[in-house]
């Protein structure tokens, strides 16, 4: 029996045009800052569906191609917009934020334990406010903390919480919670936390109210379903129990059940520095490999049965079985977005094979990519989407055909593929992350086969034979020695400023062009395209001028001051947890993206919301000098000498004058509170003539009214154009006398959204408004950029980069 001939692809490039239009339409829709009403999207969708029905026989081929492109774009924009409108309709009502709600629901995912408590996802069945039913989002991201998550309900002193109880996936619970809308930090080149939650289907976050005055959380017993999650949690707990204390326990858990949070931050830093981070959690590579192994075994067994082969050819059975295995593995690993993308991609490839369609690789890539975007349009904005598809496209385009016999030939082919991918993906990696691992070329030669062919199979085998987990952990330890050695190489990681989109896209095109088959003279044209991304440098302030960038780091202070050739970081933001702080999560990536190295780190005082990220900053920039008021036993003293800040200290960078106004030397002997020792920094630009007087920024730390009055009594030069509002706008600061002396035009308030301290308070805000001062709060503005040569404007990153999934603070 002869197999059917391969089915041809649609003529005239109509399919390719429609698929390109599909991606373009999704991309254009995601540029929207605000969603339109749903009828507008319905009209777009209807236009895209009906447009191909028009008879275009009179149009030339280019016109037909453009018509299909437009149809795909209209259909994609309309369908994505309709989905976004429907999803946004389930958002948390602002009136319910911060209220005590009684919710009943099912623990939908295995809980994640931290040193502060645990986090879990709750699928809501019902919710009540003061006994009356209310509507809340279908899924909530909740924390259950021990200690002090917030102030008491009556506004008094914070109250201690009950210790979190063990939670199991699939259990039904009734508990009192406080919710708020998802609100992440908004910084240039920063991680879009709100987009990530949007893609995860989470429209509210909050914490369990478990104080002594609150009703205790109540376990209502097992709920229906969630059997896979219960199994995942049982396996995760078994791994962590068997490998308790082993440094590789978290990696084994991540490879088996997808629990990436189990991996320590220090390990992640090593994995990123050596370019192997994609191997240390369940990714498309692991799912594809597992699918390939199952397909290979199934094909071998299928061919042993003539009856089975007559009913279904072995290649088709193997392809279908491999796809089912990939889907099962992805589900067991938590059905994360990367695994979902891989399953949809494999499904499209298998569908083409089962229908005997053999299309050129560009058509296959477009079809697979469009299928993934049909299932998850917002994957278009995820780095993993682009890395996966560019890598697959490059390998398909550069595939030389059959590999020669023998291990030498296969090894040479693997080395070639690794070099091709490294060259092609380097510009894309620089565009997405601002860094590229040079050591990754060497590291992956061993790490890819070691992890995919040895560690991962052993880790999965441990589900049936737990001793295999010990072997997997031992293999990870051996690999860790190799990676640590590579990470210590000089130049192991290339860090470049974040280039604009046009330069990055030109670099990606140049990298792909270098590895595509063809004449070398044509391929070398990729080198000029790489130049803008590799040589890009951000625009610096002119001599005598400076910029102030107040980073969005939540509840805390962190301000970058930059001159023509120098940079200063004033405070380093809060510590979020034992393994996470503003320095590591926000400030170091931000400074790398901006292409700056801080010469001086000023830590105003010892409070954790100002010094929490300091050690992470100094780990990344060990040559930075430190100026602070911290005492001798502070952990900051452990990394080297800390210069005490004292009034009168003064230096000049590129014509810009920096001066410490507070504290005086005597204040160190009498101050009882750290706030009273906050380093107050005054920055003044160079005068540009009578029409352009010096511009001043005043960074006031956490000083309070007594220190404000003392500065005035000492005759300090307080007048400024820009004021970092003292103590985040607390009631004890920003006195009327101080504001009159400063007379700012702009006032920056760095405080977290719905923070537990109630910052900024109504009283200082009222005093600022009475003096017609423009107040910029980080929950509304995000990162705020002010320039001394343009003192009349402040650029708010949350406004510039706003998209419809971003929360707008009331």
């Amino acid at each position: 029996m002869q197999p059917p001939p391969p089915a041809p692809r649609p003529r005239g490039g109509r399919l390719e045009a429609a698929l390109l239009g599909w991606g373009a339409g999704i991309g254009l829709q995601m540029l929207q800052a605000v969603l339109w009403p749903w009828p507008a999207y319905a009209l777009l969708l209807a236009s895209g569906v009906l447009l191909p029905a028009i008879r275009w026989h009179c149009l030339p081929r280019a016109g037909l191609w453009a018509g299909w492109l437009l149809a795909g774009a209209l259909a994609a924009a309309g369908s994505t917009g309709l989905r976004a409108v429907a999803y946004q309709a389930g958002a948390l009502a602002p009136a319910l934020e911060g209220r005590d709600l009684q919710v009943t629901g099912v623990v939908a995912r295995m809980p994640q334990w931290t040193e502060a408590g645990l986090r879990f996802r709750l699928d809501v069945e019902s919710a009540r406010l003061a006994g009356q039913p209310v509507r809340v989002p279908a899924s909530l991201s909740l924390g259950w903390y021990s200690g002090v998550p917030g102030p008491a309900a009556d506004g008094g002193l914070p109250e201690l919480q009950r210790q979190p109880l063990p939670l199991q996936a699939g259990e039904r619970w009734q508990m009192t919670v406080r919710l708020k809308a998802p609100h992440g930090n908004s910084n240039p080149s920063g991680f879009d936390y709100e987009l990530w939650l949007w893609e995860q289907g989470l429209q509210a976050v909050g914490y369990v109210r478990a104080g002594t005055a609150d009703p205790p959380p109540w376990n209502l017993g097992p709920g229906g379903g969630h059997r896979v999650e219960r199994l995942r949690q049982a396996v995760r707990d078994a791994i962590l129990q068997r490998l308790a204390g082993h440094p590789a326990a978290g990696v084994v858990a991540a490879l088996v059940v997808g629990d990436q949070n189990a991996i320590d931050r220090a390990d992640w830093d090593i994995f990123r520095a050596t370019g192997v981070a994609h191997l240390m959690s369940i990714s498309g590579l692991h799912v594809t490999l597992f699918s390939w192994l199952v397909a290979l075994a199934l094909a071998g067994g299928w061919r042993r049965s003539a009856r089975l082969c007559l009913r279904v050819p072995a290649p088709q059975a193997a392809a279908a079985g491999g796809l089912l295995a990939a889907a099962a593995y992805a589900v067991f690993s938590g059905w994360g977005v990367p695994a979902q993308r891989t399953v949809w991609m494999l499904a499209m490839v298998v569908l083409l094979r089962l229908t005997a369609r053999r299309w050129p690789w560009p058509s296959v890539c477009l079809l697979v990519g469009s299928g993934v975007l049909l299932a998850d349009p917002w994957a278009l904005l995820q780095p993993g989407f682009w890395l996966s598809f560019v890598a697959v496209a490059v390998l398909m385009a550069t595939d030389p055909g059959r590999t020669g016999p023998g291990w030498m030939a296969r090894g040479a082919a693997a080395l070639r593929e690794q070099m091709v991918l490294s060259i092609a993906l380097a510009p894309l990696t620089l565009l997405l992350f601002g860094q590229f691992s040079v050591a990754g070329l060497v590291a992956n030669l061993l790490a890819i086969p070691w992890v995919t062919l040895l560690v991962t199979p052993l880790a999965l085998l441990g589900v049936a034979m737990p001793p295999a987990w010990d072997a997997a952990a031992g293999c990870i330890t051996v690999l860790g020695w190799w990676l640590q050695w590579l990470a210590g190489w000089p130049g192991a990681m290339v860090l470049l400023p974040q280039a604009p989109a046009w330069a990055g896209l030109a670099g990606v095109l140049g990298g792909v062009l270098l590895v595509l088959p063809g004449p070398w003279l044509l391929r070398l044209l990729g080198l000029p395209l790489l130049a803008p991304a590799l040589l890009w440098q951000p625009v610096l302030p002119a001599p005598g001028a400076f910029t102030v960038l107040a980073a969005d780091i939540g509840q805390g202070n962190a301000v970058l001051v930059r001159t023509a050739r120098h940079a200063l970081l004033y405070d380093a933001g809060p510590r979020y947890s034992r393994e996470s702080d503003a320095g590591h999560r926000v400030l170091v990536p931000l400074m790398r993206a901006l292409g700056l190295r801080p010469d001086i780190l000023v830590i105003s005082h010892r409070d954790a919301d100002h010094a929490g990220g300091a050690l992470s900053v100094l780990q990344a920039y060990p040559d930075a000098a430190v100026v602070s008021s911290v005492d001798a036993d502070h952990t900051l003293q452990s990394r080297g000498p800390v210069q005490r800040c004292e009034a009168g200290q003064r230096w000049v960078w590129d014509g810009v004058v920096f001066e410490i106004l507070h504290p005086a030397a005597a204040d160190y002997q009498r101050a009882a509170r750290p706030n009273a020792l906050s380093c107050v920094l005054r920055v003044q630009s160079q005068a540009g003539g009578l029409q352009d007087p010096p511009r001043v920024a005043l960074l006031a730390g956490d000083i309070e009214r007594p220190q404000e009055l003392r500065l005035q009594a000492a005759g300090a030069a307080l007048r400024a154009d820009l004021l970092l509002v003292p103590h985040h706008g607390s009631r004890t600061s920003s006195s009327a006398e101080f504001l009159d002396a400063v007379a700012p035009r702009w006032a920056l308030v760095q405080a977290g959204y719905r923070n537990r301290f109630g910052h900024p308070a109504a009283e200082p805000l009222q005093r600022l408004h009475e003096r017609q001062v423009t107040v910029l709060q980080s929950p509304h503005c995000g990162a705020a950029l002010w320039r001394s040569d343009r003192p009349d404007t402040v650029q708010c990153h949350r406004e510039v980069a706003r998209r419809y999934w971003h929360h707008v603070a009331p």
Side-chain angles (χ1 to χ4, degrees):
M1 179 178 180
Q2 296 294 328
R9 62 193 177 99
R11 295 179 179 179
R14 290 177 294 177
L15 175 65
E16 289 85 347
L19 295 179
L20 279 174
W22 186 267
I26 291 175
L28 291 173
Q29 193 276 335
M30 291 184 184
L31 293 177
Q32 290 188 283
V34 180
L35 288 173
W36 298 335
W38 71 265
Y41 294 114
L43 180 61
L44 289 179
L45 178 59
S47 301
V49 172
L50 296 177
L51 193 59
I54 300 176
R55 306 183 72 84
W56 294 338
H57 296 297
C58 59
L59 294 178
R61 182 170 180 174
L64 290 172
W65 193 89
W68 281 96
L69 181 74
L70 179 60
L74 291 174
S79 63
T80 304
L82 285 173
R83 291 173 64 174
V85 169
Y87 179 74
Q88 200 174 68
L92 180 69
L96 297 180
E97 289 190 285
R99 306 292 298 275
D100 285 351
L101 305 175
Q102 291 73 43
V103 299
T104 302
V106 179
V107 179
R109 298 286 177 88
M110 58 180 184
Q112 306 287 336
W113 282 94
T114 68
E115 74 277 8
L118 61 84
R119 294 204 63 83
F120 61 99
R121 177 169 178 159
L122 188 76
D123 286 351
V124 178
E125 297 176 348
S126 64
R128 292 180 173 273
L129 173 64
Q132 298 299 317
V134 293
R135 185 186 62 83
V136 299
S139 295
L140 309 175
S141 176
L142 297 176
W144 188 347
Y145 307 113
S146 57
V148 185
D154 60 0
L157 294 175
E159 57 180 337
L160 293 175
Q161 303 291 298
R162 297 183 180 95
Q163 291 294 323
L165 298 175
L167 298 184
Q168 297 292 325
E171 290 179 341
R172 295 180 67 246
W173 281 79
Q174 187 178 76
M175 54 185 60
T176 301
V177 301
R178 283 189 183 177
L179 303 177
K180 63 179 180 180
H183 189 98
N185 301 326
S186 179
N187 295 286
S189 304
F191 175 67
D192 195 338
Y193 175 67
E194 291 165 54
L195 173 62
W196 182 81
L197 287 176
W198 176 284
E199 198 173 12
Q200 298 294 321
L202 296 168
Q203 293 180 284
V205 298
Y207 63 90
V208 177
R209 294 285 298 169
T212 56
D214 300 304
W218 189 258
N219 186 350
L220 301 178
H226 300 90
R227 295 179 180 178
V228 174
E229 280 300 315
R230 288 200 295 269
L231 178 60
R232 292 182 65 228
Q233 183 173 354
V235 171
R236 191 269 311 268
D237 293 346
I239 293 173
L240 297 181
Q241 181 178 1
R242 182 174 185 88
L243 301 178
H246 198 291
V251 178
V252 176
L255 290 174
V256 177
V257 298
D259 186 7
Q260 299 185 29
N261 294 322
I263 302 178
D264 291 337
R265 191 184 89 178
D267 292 333
W268 276 124
D269 291 340
I270 295 292
F271 299 152
R272 293 189 183 101
T274 53
V276 301
H278 63 290
L279 298 174
M280 299 306 167
S281 60
I282 295 175
S283 63
L285 179 63
H286 298 90
V287 175
T288 304
L289 174 69
F290 185 71
S291 174
W292 176 75
L293 290 175
V294 171
L296 192 65
L298 185 59
W302 201 271
R303 290 188 178 97
R304 295 178 178 275
S305 172
R307 178 180 297 180
L308 291 176
C309 289
L310 289 174
R311 296 179 67 89
V312 179
Q316 295 185 8
L323 176 61
L324 292 176
Y329 185 28
V331 169
F332 184 71
S333 68
W335 197 237
V337 174
Q340 291 180 37
R341 286 197 295 263
T342 303
V343 171
W344 299 132
M345 180 173 65
L346 291 174
M348 291 295 173
V349 173
V350 170
L351 179 63
L352 289 175
R353 174 171 293 186
L354 294 180
T355 55
R357 297 180 183 272
R358 298 180 181 179
W359 293 351
W361 67 264
S363 301
V364 175
C365 288
L366 283 173
L367 179 61
V368 171
S370 299
V372 171
L373 295 179
L374 178 64
D376 178 18
W378 295 275
L380 187 70
L381 301 179
Q382 299 297 335
F385 173 86
W386 293 102
L387 290 170
S388 299
F389 280 99
V390 170
V392 171
V394 166
L395 289 177
M396 294 177 70
T398 60
D399 184 9
R402 289 184 175 272
T403 303
W407 289 103
M408 293 291 292
R410 295 178 183 177
L415 179 60
R416 175 190 169 278
E417 290 180 355
Q418 183 62 38
M419 293 183 65
V420 165
L421 283 180
S422 297
I423 295 172
L425 295 182
L428 181 59
T429 305
L430 289 172
L431 173 64
L432 296 173
F433 306 110
Q435 62 184 30
F436 173 71
S437 174
V438 178
L441 176 61
V442 179
N444 279 287
L445 289 177
L446 173 64
I448 289 178
W450 189 267
V451 174
T452 56
L453 300 179
L454 182 61
V455 176
T456 302
L458 284 173
L460 293 175
L461 181 62
V463 176
M465 300 174 59
W469 288 331
D470 300 288
C475 294
I476 294 170
T477 301
V478 173
L479 180 64
W481 297 336
W482 162 255
L483 297 178
Q484 287 180 352
W485 179 66
L486 291 176
W489 281 11
M493 178 74 74
V494 174
L495 302 171
L496 295 177
Q498 197 85 30
W502 67 266
L505 292 176
V508 173
L509 180 60
V512 172
L513 189 60
L514 281 173
V515 300
L516 286 179
W520 268 104
L521 289 178
L522 178 63
R523 295 163 69 177
L524 289 177
L525 292 177
L527 292 176
L529 294 174
L530 290 172
L534 297 178
L535 303 178
W536 172 262
Q537 291 296 324
V539 178
L540 301 175
F546 68 95
T547 61
V548 173
L549 178 62
D552 187 4
I553 40 79
Q555 182 65 26
N557 278 157
V559 179
L560 281 164
V561 182
R562 190 170 196 177
T563 68
R565 294 179 299 174
H566 296 277
L568 175 145
L569 176 60
Y570 180 87
D571 280 337
R575 188 173 188 83
Y576 304 124
S577 66
R578 181 175 61 88
E579 293 192 344
S580 177
D581 56 65
H584 182 268
R585 186 186 295 180
V586 179
L587 298 176
V588 171
L590 175 61
M591 290 188 285
R592 286 175 175 170
L594 297 176
L596 63 83
R597 298 181 65 88
D599 299 279
I600 294 179
L601 171 61
V602 176
I603 300 299
S604 61
H605 61 297
R606 67 174 298 146
D607 282 359
D609 56 336
H610 297 254
L615 291 179
S616 293
V617 171
L618 292 173
Q619 182 180 4
Y621 302 101
D623 296 333
V626 182
V627 178
S628 182
S629 65
V630 298
D631 41 23
D633 63 350
H634 193 273
T635 55
L636 197 58
Q637 300 280 2
S638 62
R639 54 84 49 196
V642 176
Q643 181 181 354
R644 175 181 286 185
C645 65
E646 292 184 3
Q649 292 172 341
R650 185 177 184 274
W651 66 95
V652 180
W653 283 344
D654 307 316
V656 178
V657 180
F658 293 76
E659 184 179 3
I660 300 291
L661 303 183
H662 179 81
D667 292 334
Y668 286 94
Q669 306 301 322
R670 62 191 178 201
R673 298 183 59 191
N675 287 356
L677 290 177
S678 291
C679 306
V680 178
L681 178 65
R682 182 179 185 270
V683 187
Q684 177 180 308
S685 69
Q686 194 173 50
L690 296 177
Q691 302 299 323
D692 187 14
R695 300 298 178 179
V696 177
L698 187 65
L699 311 180
D702 275 0
I703 61 171
E704 297 176 313
R705 189 169 186 274
Q707 291 78 49
E708 295 172 352
L709 297 178
R710 192 173 299 136
L711 282 169
Q712 293 175 257
L718 295 178
R719 188 166 296 275
D721 300 274
L722 178 75
L723 171 66
L724 179 64
V725 174
H727 202 187
H728 320 286
S730 73
R731 293 184 179 88
T732 59
S733 301
S734 302
S735 61
E737 300 88 347
F738 179 74
L739 295 179
D740 289 336
V742 178
R745 176 169 184 176
W746 304 97
L748 300 179
V749 179
Q750 287 189 301
Y753 177 64
R754 297 193 65 86
N755 62 86
R756 65 189 180 95
F757 305 100
H759 295 156
E763 295 87 341
L765 288 179
Q766 179 64 30
R767 290 192 287 268
L768 287 164
H769 291 317
E770 288 172 353
R771 288 158 179 79
Q772 298 183 340
V773 180
T774 303
V775 180
L776 300 173
Q777 302 181 44
S778 49
H780 302 87
C781 180
L785 175 64
W786 179 83
R787 299 175 52 172
S788 66
D789 56 351
R790 297 181 184 176
D792 297 332
T793 60
V794 173
Q795 184 184 85
C796 288
H797 187 263
R798 185 168 282 276
E799 296 176 1
V800 172
R802 184 181 173 189
R803 297 293 183 266
Y804 59 80
W805 55 81
H806 289 154
H807 175 242
V808 178

